[in-house]
Amino acid sequence: MPKASVKRLIECNKEQLIDLVLDIESYPLFIPYCLKSKIYEKKEKDDQILIIADLTIGKGPFNATYKSNVTYYKSTNTIHVINIAGPLKYLDNKWTFLKKDNYTEISFNIDFEIENKFLNIVMSKSFQYGLDKIADSFQSRANNLFKSK
C-alpha cells in the first residue's frame, strides 16, 4: 500500500515530455532498476492512446515483470496506468502535464500494493526516495534531449 507523489518543473514543451513518458521501450536506458520493457500493443482510439506494456524491475537476482494498461488522454494531458498482470496486487498511477511558460509541470501520483506483504512493508519505508530517483531520471533525460543549449 505504498503511496507517493512527486511534482517537477521541466524545461521542455508538454508534447515532448508526454512523448518521453509514452516511450516505454526506452525506460531501461535511463530509469534506475528498469531492466527491460516491451510494448505489446499500441493503438489510438478517439482522444486516447492505449498501450499494453511490460516492465521488468529489479536488481541482481531479484526482479519481477508486471504488465500494465497505459492510457493517454489527449484532451486532459493525463496518462493513467493500471496493472493487469504480475506481482502487484494493484497499481494505480497518474501523470499530469501542465504548460507553464517555457516549462512543463509534471505531477506523478502512484498507489500500489505488492502481493507479498513483507515487500509491501519494505517498499513503504523507501518508496518516496525511489520515486524521487525516477523523477530525477525523467528530468535528466528530458534535459538531455530537449533543453535548449
Side-chain angles (χ1 to χ4, degrees):
M1 298 146 325
K3 291 182 184 180
S5 62
V6 67
K7 190 178 281 193
R8 295 289 171 89
L9 198 58
I10 300 175
E11 189 177 352
C12 68
N13 76 47
K14 182 176 59 181
E15 290 74 22
Q16 289 172 319
L17 202 49
I18 291 167
D19 288 345
L20 175 62
V21 172
L22 292 175
D23 186 12
I24 296 162
E25 290 183 323
S26 293
Y27 285 12
L29 299 175
F30 67 96
I31 297 190
Y33 310 114
C34 183
L35 305 175
K36 290 192 295 186
S37 60
K38 181 177 181 176
I39 292 178
Y40 290 95
E41 183 179 322
K42 185 173 184 178
K43 61 185 176 183
E44 290 197 40
K45 179 182 174 190
D46 302 322
D47 87 323
Q48 300 173 356
I49 295 177
L50 307 163
I51 301 170
I52 296 177
D54 275 356
L55 283 182
T56 301
I57 307 294
K59 186 172 181 174
F62 303 103
N63 64 70
T65 300
Y66 67 94
K67 187 177 296 272
S68 296
N69 184 2
V70 180
T71 306
Y72 167 53
Y73 298 93
K74 296 176 187 178
S75 61
T76 59
N77 296 304
T78 58
I79 297 173
H80 188 220
V81 181
I82 58 171
N83 74 299
I84 51 179
L88 300 174
K89 193 170 186 177
Y90 71 87
L91 166 72
D92 187 355
N93 88 40
K94 185 176 182 182
W95 299 78
T96 305
F97 305 85
L98 296 172
K99 180 177 173 25
K100 294 198 172 189
D101 298 320
N102 293 330
Y103 294 84
T104 299
E105 181 182 88
I106 184 171
S107 299
F108 180 78
N109 299 294
I110 186 166
D111 180 13
F112 72 96
E113 184 173 354
I114 302 170
E115 291 284 352
N116 182 307
K117 299 290 185 202
F118 175 73
L119 285 178
N120 263 329
I121 293 167
V122 171
M123 287 296 290
S124 295
K125 304 287 186 207
S126 62
F127 192 67
Q128 184 65 52
Y129 173 79
L131 184 60
D132 287 336
K133 295 304 262 178
I134 291 169
D136 291 346
S137 298
F138 273 101
Q139 186 160 12
S140 177
R141 179 79 169 174
N143 287 340
N144 290 338
L145 294 175
F146 310 125
K147 191 173 179 180
S148 47
K149 307 208 177 291

